[in-house]
């Protein structure tokens, strides 16, 4: 850290690097704030929309702490991750895989669009398939390029083989659930445009367990 940054609040008085990381990121909501910024900069209300359980006061406090730690920046009304913040992507992916291996997960609870996309980067099965998918979820849209067995997400809906649209929870059901996309589209649960066969083959690559 630079001299101008405040030292993280000490919770764990140890020399352990994991304890040091928790001193920076260990407050409730901190890592989930980072999650919401992982794929695109956002304004305060957009971050809060992805974290419906957080109060405005707590979110303000966490954003301030993360800025002091050099994890995020703030300018022109937008919050964005620094290189340090973006370095937490593998941590989020590992936590998705770890959480999926343990019982008690309730997929009916709220899932933000960004959380869904990050989970997809973690839970995709090995494949040599190449496809470009677009997901639109309210005001948020993402393009997911699958190549070399790795899913590369970016903000914005660009040219793609197909587009899936709906809420975060509706698309989570489409991606991870057992119901065929055609049936979900037919009953209005999701929108499906483009190559329906490619879309079904794509979502078949994902399993929570």
């Amino acid at each position: 850290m630079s001299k101008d940054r405040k030292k993280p609040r000490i919770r764990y008085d140890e020399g352990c690097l994991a304890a040091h990381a928790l001193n920076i990121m260990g407050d409730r909501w901190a890592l989930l704030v980072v999650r919401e910024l992982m794929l695109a900069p956002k304004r305060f209300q957009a971050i809060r929309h992805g974290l419906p359980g957080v109060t405005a006061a707590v979110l303000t406090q966490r954003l301030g702490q993360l800025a002091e730690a050099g994890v995020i920046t703030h300018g022109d009304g937008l919050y964005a991750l620094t290189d340090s913040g973006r370095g937490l992507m593998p941590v989020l992916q590992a936590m998705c895989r770890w959480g999926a291996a343990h019982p008690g997960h309730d997929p009916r609870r709220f899932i933000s669009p960004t959380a869904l996309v990050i989970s997809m980067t973690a839970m995709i099965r090995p494949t040599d398939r190449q496809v470009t998918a677009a997901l639109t979820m309210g005001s948020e849209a993402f393009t997911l390029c699958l190549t070399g067995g790795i899913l590369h997400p970016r903000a914005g809906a660009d040219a793609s083989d197909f587009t899936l649209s709906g809420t975060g929870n509706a698309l989570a059901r489409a991606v991870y659930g057992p119901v065929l996309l055609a049936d979900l589209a037919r009953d209005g649960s999701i929108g499906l445009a483009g190559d329906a066969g490619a879309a079904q083959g794509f979502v078949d690559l994902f399993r929570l367990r």
Side-chain angles (χ1 to χ4, degrees), residues 27-106:
D27 276 320
R28 188 183 183 200
W29 298 109
L31 190 57
L32 298 187
V33 171
V34 169
R35 180 199 72 196
E36 286 303 301
L37 294 171
M38 187 57 69
L39 302 180
K42 292 181 180 179
R43 297 185 182 277
F44 183 92
Q45 288 301 331
I47 300 170
R48 194 175 178 195
H49 182 73
L51 300 167
V54 73
T55 66
V58 169
L59 180 55
T60 298
Q61 184 180 50
R62 294 297 174 268
L63 289 167
Q65 291 170 343
L66 292 170
E68 289 173 0
V71 176
I72 67 171
T73 60
H74 181 217
D76 297 324
L78 287 173
Y79 294 89
L81 295 183
T82 62
D83 287 343
S84 172
R86 287 187 290 273
L88 288 164
M89 180 65 151
V91 175
L92 289 167
Q93 292 169 319
M95 292 184 73
C96 287
R97 289 187 287 265
W98 191 87
H102 291 73
H105 172 249
D106 186 352

Side-chain angles (χ1 to χ4, degrees), residues 59-199:
L59 180 55
T60 298
Q61 184 180 50
R62 294 297 174 268
L63 289 167
Q65 291 170 343
L66 292 170
E68 289 173 0
V71 176
I72 67 171
T73 60
H74 181 217
D76 297 324
L78 287 173
Y79 294 89
L81 295 183
T82 62
D83 287 343
S84 172
R86 287 187 290 273
L88 288 164
M89 180 65 151
V91 175
L92 289 167
Q93 292 169 319
M95 292 184 73
C96 287
R97 289 187 287 265
W98 191 87
H102 291 73
H105 172 249
D106 186 352
R108 296 169 298 180
R109 293 181 180 274
F110 172 83
I111 182 167
S112 76
T114 299
L116 172 61
V117 172
I118 291 174
S119 79
M120 291 171 68
T121 70
M123 302 306 297
I124 190 165
R125 295 187 294 173
T127 181
D128 58 3
R129 186 188 299 265
Q130 295 193 41
V131 65
T132 301
L135 305 183
T136 61
M137 294 170 272
S139 62
E140 296 190 65
F142 303 93
T143 301
L144 286 67
C145 295
L146 174 59
T147 181
I150 299 174
L151 194 62
H152 303 276
R154 62 179 181 270
D158 299 328
S160 58
D161 299 304
F162 59 87
T163 299
L164 299 175
S165 57
T167 66
N169 283 77
L171 290 194
R173 182 185 176 205
V175 170
Y176 292 118
V179 183
L180 294 175
L181 292 181
D183 293 335
L184 292 172
R186 190 176 300 112
D187 70 16
S189 296
I190 65 166
L192 171 59
D195 189 335

